[in-house]
Amino acid sequence: MNTLLGDLIQISMLESEESQLKLEKINLMDIIINVKDTFKQVLQSRKSNLIVPDEKTVYILADKKNMEIVFNNLINNAINYSDSGDIIISLKYIKKNIVVRIIDQGIGISKDNVQQIFERFYRVDSDRSRETGGTGLGLAIVKHILLAHNIEIKVDSKVNMGTEFIFEIPVLKN
């Protein structure tokens, strides 16, 4: 109940004018390493890994707390909707941006459901969501945080093969 209430407050703040991003120069790799540490134990218990890039520094202008929420929610979602297999965070430079891809080997999402997954309380597999305790707000929160940063998120998914979340962030010079 506390998680649901917290998520509802967070999404309401993001949707309102009251939400103010605290933009600062941050190292995206610090967030990725923290996320890897956060989920290390649960991934080890299922004999899976979170594979992350070897990059040392990727500076971006973002709200650190909110970007941590984005990565935590996406990795948590990847874990909850796959029973095994590694989860991959991939980074690729394209011009002055870094393309982030979060890839899982999970149950996938049908084309009919892809457009709805960022809606509040929408669940692709409600039985699995009940088992894992999700609120149905994680991806809606991700979408709103990224939109507040002027970043669009895309999804590529195949049923029974996995899902890939893709977004592009402008990179700052060191």
Side-chain angles (χ1 to χ4, degrees), residues 20 24 66-67 110 112-113 128 134 152 164 166 169 172:
Q20 296 289 322
E24 59 185 319
N66 280 307
M67 275 298 166
S110 72
D112 296 338
N113 292 327
R128 185 178 288 266
E152 181 183 348
E164 184 173 347
I166 308 147
I169 307 171
L172 297 175

Side-chain angles (χ1 to χ4, degrees), residues 14-67:
L14 288 166
E15 290 177 338
S16 76
E17 297 295 321
E18 297 172 32
S19 178
Q20 296 289 322
L21 294 179
K22 182 183 172 196
L23 297 177
E24 59 185 319
K25 182 178 180 179
I26 60 172
N27 184 359
L28 181 60
M29 289 308 301
D30 290 344
I31 292 171
I32 291 171
I33 297 306
N34 286 340
V35 168
K36 184 175 183 176
D37 291 343
T38 298
F39 292 101
K40 183 177 183 177
Q41 197 169 24
V42 70
L43 286 165
Q44 282 178 339
S45 71
R46 29 178 273 168
K47 296 180 175 48
S48 298
N49 295 297
L50 177 57
I51 300 169
V52 301
D54 291 334
E55 302 286 332
K56 298 290 184 230
T57 56
V58 178
Y59 290 110
I60 62 171
L61 184 64
D63 183 302
K64 185 175 183 177
K65 179 182 167 197
N66 280 307
M67 275 298 166

Side-chain angles (χ1 to χ4, degrees), residues 3 6 8 22 63 71 80 84 88 98 108 113 117 119 124 127 137 140 144-145 147 160:
T3 304
L8 282 171
K22 182 183 172 196
D63 183 302
F71 279 85
N80 289 339
S84 63
I88 301 165
I98 191 92
N113 292 327
I117 62 170
E119 294 176 10
V124 172
D127 290 337
L137 293 170
H144 284 287
I145 290 171
L147 285 176
N160 298 320

Side-chain angles (χ1 to χ4, degrees), residues 130-145:
R130 267 188 232 103
E131 290 171 15
T132 59
T135 64
L137 293 170
L139 291 178
I141 290 169
V142 165
K143 177 185 171 187
H144 284 287
I145 290 171

